[in-house]
Amino acid sequence: MKDKIGYMFGDVGNCFLLGLMNAFLMIYYTNILGLPAGLVGTLFFASTMIDAFADVIVGRVADVAKVGHEGRFRPWIRRMKWPTCLTFLLMFLPFVKHFSEPGKIAYVVFTYILFGLVFACINIPYGSLSSTMSANADDKASLSVFRSVGSAVGAGGTGFALSLIIYTENAAGHKILSEQRLFWSAIGCAVLAFISYSILYHYTHERIASNPKQKVRLHSSIKAMLHDRGLVSLIMADIVVTTCTSLSGITTTYLFNDYFNNNHALSVALLFTYGTTIALAPFAKWITVKFGKKEMCATSLTVTAMLYAILYFLHIQNPWLYLVILFVATLGTSTFSLMIWAFINDVNDNHQVITGMREDGTIYGINFFGRKIAQALANGVGGVLLSIIGYQSSTSGGRVQTQAVLDHIYMLANLVPALLMITAAAILAFWYPLTRQRVREVTAKLEAAVGKGETNE
């Protein structure tokens, strides 16, 4: 339990940072710095593509690095918590709004890329850590659940609380973002993240020596991974879901800020996105044992797609009625979020069975490479779509959008998630091969290999 709680705090720390970024960074750039949404989306896309390669490099370096007494992955957390929290603050400096537009663009590109590079050095080792804490499949599933709960606590807490803190009201009665309040909130999130990373380091233990002498040529590793159907299909499903959740994080803020003009409802909506994960967590292990991860997630994502389609066609005007249906819709996404890290551990185990190689850091880095691509697509497409529908940026906030723009924001917030979720459900149902039975077979083979002394552990 001590390890589970410690591991949970890793994502509490991550999501104190990412929760603030996902919910408010885009609107900070458009409504405080006054940059056009299309330009911001393009900058996000290019910057995130650079960060994506950093994830793979960090994972590979961690896999081939010398294993010390602290383990393979924990030393990264101890060293990188300082620069991670400090570079996070650089993205929200309040005086930047007085820069020239070229200065603002240079600031956005530099700080966004810098944070992405530094964050990879703590996030990739953290994700890979779970594979060295226990060889038991149930333990790994529990770690995935605890990690998802940590994500919900960090991101949900920031989304709910900050929506009530960082907005002020202008003379016309419109809610506007305060750059000063946002910066002080960023400081608070950075401090809480630092504390969380410290708990992660001190409460977790690496019990399995993750192939300390393994030497695998990079081209052989890449070739094996490209032929691993479980890995490729999971990455594709995760890309689609991450694109959806990242884009929803952007469009939901604009939906409640402009369409509903209700920051209290926004705080509840951002809480729903993560609060449903906490609500499902006590039942997650029972669900996976009863139905299997693949089977349950494919079904829940299908239901989510249907509910977003219903929201789109109803075109609801009341924010509280909208929130009721949104709560049920996010249950499906939360089911996938609870299981994604257990999915990756299953893929790691299956990869070892079919190739004989254990490459937790590299596989985790490649999965996050896919996630960064998804985030880049979401940020890029989100900004471009806002520009296409005619969204008007402002340096002072509170600009009233036309009814046509508001209707298009509603469409982006509902129809796009419906299409993406049904795509992810189809990938899991028809492409991803690791059924409940296959996972059991893989676990049995690895346990038999351990008994015969055939592994590198």
Side-chain angles (χ1 to χ4, degrees):
M1 182 56 67
K2 181 179 178 181
D3 283 274
K4 292 174 183 177
I5 292 174
Y7 195 68
M8 177 186 73
F9 268 93
D11 238 27
V12 172
N14 281 349
C15 290
F16 274 131
L17 307 181
L18 298 182
L20 180 64
M21 286 180 59
N22 292 340
F24 301 108
L25 190 60
M26 172 75 85
I27 201 168
Y28 166 68
Y29 288 158
T30 59
N31 287 19
I32 297 296
L33 300 188
L35 297 176
L39 174 62
V40 173
T42 303
L43 294 175
F44 270 2
F45 180 81
S47 302
T48 307
M49 288 294 291
I50 296 173
D51 293 342
F53 288 95
D55 293 334
V56 180
I57 294 171
V58 171
R60 189 67 188 174
V61 171
D63 273 340
V64 301
K66 182 179 179 181
V67 180
H69 70 279
E70 296 174 286
R72 182 182 296 278
F73 302 114
R74 291 175 65 246
W76 290 77
I77 297 165
R78 174 176 55 81
R79 297 170 189 145
M80 298 307 299
K81 61 184 179 182
W82 288 96
T84 297
C85 295
L86 290 174
T87 54
F88 170 75
L89 293 178
L90 293 179
M91 292 189 291
F92 297 97
L93 299 177
F95 55 78
V96 176
K97 69 176 294 184
H98 302 296
F99 288 5
S100 65
E101 183 165 301
K104 292 175 183 176
I105 294 172
Y107 159 81
V108 168
V109 172
F110 174 75
T111 55
Y112 192 80
I113 292 177
L114 180 63
F115 175 77
L117 295 175
V118 174
F119 182 71
C121 294
I122 197 169
N123 187 48
I124 300 303
Y126 163 60
S128 305
L129 176 62
S130 64
S131 63
T132 66
M133 293 170 66
S134 174
N136 183 275
D138 290 340
D139 287 343
K140 292 177 180 179
S142 294
L143 287 171
S144 178
V145 172
F146 272 79
R147 173 172 182 168
S148 297
V149 170
S151 174
V153 170
T158 55
F160 177 76
L162 295 180
S163 297
L164 302 177
I165 295 173
I166 65 176
Y167 282 95
T168 57
E169 195 171 277
N170 65 10
H174 293 286
K175 300 294 182 181
I176 60 173
L177 198 65
S178 166
E179 67 270 21
Q180 294 291 340
R181 293 187 180 189
L182 182 61
F183 180 64
W184 284 108
S185 296
I187 292 176
C189 287
V191 171
L192 293 172
F194 184 87
I195 294 171
S196 299
Y197 291 142
S198 299
I199 294 173
L200 164 66
Y201 175 78
H202 289 291
Y203 273 51
T204 55
H205 304 83
E206 293 192 38
R207 297 178 176 84
I208 300 171
S210 53
N211 304 331
K213 298 180 180 180
Q214 175 177 267
K215 298 296 181 183
V216 181
R217 293 181 181 272
L218 182 59
H219 75 273
S220 299
S221 176
I222 294 174
K223 182 178 179 180
M225 290 181 184
L226 289 176
H227 287 85
D228 188 336
R229 180 182 166 194
L231 173 61
V232 175
S233 57
L234 178 64
I235 289 175
M236 292 305 299
D238 200 16
I239 285 175
V240 175
V241 174
T242 302
T243 300
C244 182
T245 54
S246 298
L247 188 59
S248 293
I250 296 169
T251 56
T252 297
T253 303
Y254 284 93
L255 179 71
F256 284 92
N257 186 72
D258 294 289
Y259 181 85
F260 289 122
N261 191 28
N262 192 319
N263 68 306
H264 294 287
L266 172 61
S267 68
V268 176
L270 295 176
L271 179 64
F272 279 178
T273 305
Y274 306 99
T276 47
T277 300
I278 297 176
L280 286 173
F283 313 102
K285 186 175 181 179
W286 177 85
I287 290 172
T288 55
V289 171
K290 183 74 173 177
F291 302 104
K293 292 185 277 291
K294 163 182 171 165
E295 296 81 359
M296 186 60 194
C297 288
T299 301
S300 62
L301 291 177
T302 301
V303 173
T304 295
M306 294 172 60
L307 290 171
Y308 270 113
I310 290 171
L311 283 171
Y312 169 69
F313 288 110
L314 289 180
H315 208 87
I316 295 172
Q317 303 292 323
N318 187 308
W320 305 108
L321 175 60
Y322 182 92
L323 286 172
V324 172
I325 303 176
L326 180 66
F327 173 79
V328 182
T330 54
L331 288 173
T333 312
S334 297
T335 302
F336 183 83
S337 298
L338 278 169
M339 289 296 106
I340 181 58
W341 314 116
F343 271 123
I344 293 175
N345 281 325
D346 289 345
V347 167
N348 282 331
D349 291 344
N350 186 63
H351 183 76
Q352 183 176 358
V353 167
I354 64 179
T355 68
M357 297 182 288
R358 190 76 194 187
E359 301 177 278
D360 301 301
T362 304
I363 288 176
Y364 193 85
I366 290 175
N367 182 74
F368 248 84
F369 176 87
R371 285 190 151 218
K372 285 289 179 68
I373 297 297
Q375 291 169 359
L377 287 172
N379 289 327
V381 171
V384 171
L385 289 177
L386 285 170
S387 181
I388 290 174
I389 66 175
Y391 188 86
Q392 298 296 311
S393 300
S394 169
T395 57
S396 58
R399 175 172 290 185
V400 178
Q401 309 295 325
T402 67
Q403 187 59 47
V405 170
L406 297 179
D407 290 339
H408 283 115
I409 289 174
Y410 189 91
M411 177 197 68
L412 294 179
N414 295 286
L415 184 58
V416 173
L419 296 174
L420 291 174
M421 286 301 183
I422 198 64
T423 301
I427 292 172
L428 287 178
F430 302 112
W431 189 6
Y432 183 71
L434 299 185
T435 62
R436 179 174 52 165
Q437 181 59 35
R438 173 60 183 171
V439 170
R440 290 175 177 173
E441 292 172 359
V442 167
T443 301
K445 289 180 180 179
L446 290 178
E447 289 175 348
V450 170
K452 295 178 181 179
E454 297 175 357
T455 68
N456 293 317
E457 294 176 357

